[in-house]
Amino acid sequence: MAIIVDKNKRVNYYLKSMDEVKRIQESNKKPSIAMHVCCGPCSLWPIEFLAKYFSKIIVLFDNSNIYPQSEYNRRLEELERYVDDFNNKFGNVVEIVYFPYDNEKYNQFLNQYGKEREGGERCQACYRKRMEETYKYAHEHNYDYYCTVMSISRQKSAQVLNLIGEELSHKYKPKYFYSDFKKQGGDVRRQELIKEYNMYNQNYCGCIYSYLEMMKKNKNEE
């Protein structure tokens, strides 16, 4: 069932993230965090931001939703390039964990939502599936915190993502790190870093449905 956000109960998740940062700083300890990532561009600012406060960041590349495989490979390569450069500059702070890629099986899951609009129940099911798989990994490997980079995107609702994260936090041990990475200049910094790294920045979310929507839009604009 899709999450319906009550406009009168919207939460400032950027402020919630900074409240948590303050608690971390007051503890005088740098915890570890496991973070689901969807691509290189969306990871740029979250990694840069979190590295100030966490001793170790593990990025969990679990994205069997991405179609076709060549697109999956390209997004992963851009992430690897950035992580390598970041670690060379600042020490081995970030590690990538690779989840198996199986787009055919993933599409069998998405097919039940095939008629849903972009941004609706299908997308929420996709967020939840990948977040749960990666949250479970963080739990099994004893990370202190868990989060996702997806709130950096203006096409994704931080309200929905954080409600999913909050729900999952009752099931798994790592503390959920609330976020709205696009806020307070995060989106601007993301664009600066994309330009700095000359990074490939995709023009569709990832799944076959968003790919076909993109192709249709491009054809209509010809």
Side-chain angles (χ1 to χ4, degrees), residues 159-181:
Q159 303 295 313
V160 168
L161 290 165
N162 283 289
L163 287 172
I164 293 172
E166 182 176 296
E167 177 187 314
L168 293 173
S169 72
H170 299 300
K171 188 173 181 179
Y172 301 108
K173 185 177 178 180
K175 190 170 185 180
Y176 181 70
F177 187 86
Y178 294 95
S179 69
D180 194 348
F181 287 119

Side-chain angles (χ1 to χ4, degrees), residues 178-192:
Y178 294 95
S179 69
D180 194 348
F181 287 119
K182 72 179 77 64
K183 297 297 186 182
Q184 295 298 306
D187 188 53
V188 173
R189 181 58 179 153
R190 174 183 182 271
Q191 295 302 324
E192 290 173 349

Side-chain angles (χ1 to χ4, degrees), residues 13-191:
Y13 286 108
Y14 170 79
L15 291 181
K16 288 202 73 165
S17 71
M18 296 313 296
D19 287 342
E20 193 62 37
V21 163
K22 184 179 179 181
R23 282 190 283 270
I24 290 170
Q25 290 176 313
E26 289 173 348
S27 73
N28 293 317
K29 294 181 181 179
K30 281 191 169 185
S32 59
I33 188 166
M35 178 168 65
H36 167 253
V37 305
C38 52
C39 62
C42 289
S43 306
L44 297 168
W45 167 240
I47 287 175
E48 185 176 84
F49 173 78
L50 294 173
K52 304 172 196 172
Y53 311 112
F54 291 88
S55 61
K56 183 178 181 181
I57 303 171
I58 189 159
V59 295
L60 307 173
F61 198 79
D62 179 19
N63 298 293
S64 285
N65 59 306
I66 298 174
Y67 174 89
Q69 186 166 2
S70 58
E71 178 73 17
Y72 172 91
N73 293 339
R74 190 170 186 184
R75 296 188 193 190
L76 177 56
E77 287 165 3
E78 292 292 75
L79 172 67
E80 291 174 327
R81 181 163 65 91
Y82 176 65
V83 167
D84 284 346
D85 185 75
F86 189 90
N87 284 338
N88 287 333
K89 287 181 179 177
F90 302 105
N92 293 320
V93 179
V94 184
E95 179 185 344
I96 303 174
V97 169
Y98 305 85
F99 284 63
Y101 177 74
D102 190 342
N103 183 248
E104 182 177 351
K105 183 178 179 180
Y106 200 92
N107 286 338
Q108 291 172 5
F109 162 75
L110 283 185
N111 283 344
Q112 62 188 306
Y113 306 101
K115 295 182 180 180
E116 295 291 329
R117 63 176 178 82
E118 192 76 9
E121 189 171 359
R122 182 180 68 243
C123 294
Q124 289 190 22
C126 186
Y127 306 155
R128 184 186 299 276
K129 179 175 175 61
R130 289 177 291 147
M131 287 175 68
E132 174 138 32
E133 288 173 352
T134 48
Y135 213 142
K136 182 181 179 183
Y137 182 96
H139 171 85
E140 292 173 344
H141 292 81
N142 299 311
Y143 280 85
D144 299 311
Y145 284 82
Y146 169 85
C147 75
T148 177
V149 302
M150 290 192 288
S151 69
I152 191 75
S153 172
R154 293 195 174 277
Q155 285 70 49
K156 294 179 175 64
S157 170
Q159 303 295 313
V160 168
L161 290 165
N162 283 289
L163 287 172
I164 293 172
E166 182 176 296
E167 177 187 314
L168 293 173
S169 72
H170 299 300
K171 188 173 181 179
Y172 301 108
K173 185 177 178 180
K175 190 170 185 180
Y176 181 70
F177 187 86
Y178 294 95
S179 69
D180 194 348
F181 287 119
K182 72 179 77 64
K183 297 297 186 182
Q184 295 298 306
D187 188 53
V188 173
R189 181 58 179 153
R190 174 183 182 271
Q191 295 302 324

